[in-house]
Amino acid sequence: MIIALNNKCNLTKPEFITYQKELTHLSTTATLILCPSSLYLGEIAPSSIKLGAQNVSSTECGAYTGEISASQLKSASVKYCIVGHSERRANQHETDDEIAKKIKLLLKEEIIPILCVGEDKTKRQENLQLQVIMEELKMAMKNLSMEEQKKVIIAYEPIWSIGTGIIPTNNQIEEVINAIKKLYPENQVLYGGSANEENIDELKNISCIDGYLIGGLSLKPEKLKIFLEKLEN
Ligand code: 13P
């Protein structure tokens, strides 16, 4: 089981130092991946928690002000990197081509991409979720060999569920994850979108989920502890 913590653009430096200490009290058999603000990537003390980034440049090192390259992430012991999050697709207008380039560069540096896909509310209402997701996957994987494709962790994050407290039914999640696994049977698939310590009792009945990509809850170590306990019992 993989639990990836996406802190997004949260926590000041003093807050992050306290937060990091609190995280060390978590006990879990799952692989915990912490994706903090990139400002703190060099601050993580060695521990059982693996390091993830929230973004990477679509270029190699060079004259790209403000960017962080895959080789730089590797040199900071980053093992995973979120790619194609819906917030970046919407706010930074990240394109399928850029996402595909980022994945290729990450794999070259042996960093595992966590590729986010998911439909918005309108596409869900039109029952077009599978078309949207399959297109996003096809575009993101287009530069990869079969061997490379298998390494990508896929995160199903319905956009209408992110930060809203609304989660799909188990049947809706199963429909999507099973469709993804039909095309990409060897890839691990996570669920993300308002997963929390209250709905985990229901979510954990979905056997095809290989883990969770967690936003808001990642900032609350006490509640995260309850989430992990419920998940594992
Ligand atoms: P929330 O858990 O806050 O809904 O965020 C999910 C997410 O976007 C993780 O990448």
Side-chain angles (χ1 to χ4, degrees), residues 6 8 85 87 157 161-164 192-195 213-217:
N6 180 5
K8 307 192 180 182
H85 194 284
E87 288 156 9
E157 294 210 310
S161 179
I162 295 175
T164 60
S194 294
L213 179 54
I214 290 170
L217 181 74

Side-chain angles (χ1 to χ4, degrees), residues 54-58 67-70 73 81-83 102-103 106:
Q54 295 178 17
N55 184 34
V56 65
S57 175
S58 59
E67 294 290 342
I68 301 177
S69 72
L73 291 179
C81 182
I82 297 171
V83 185
K102 289 177 181 201
I103 292 176
L106 287 169

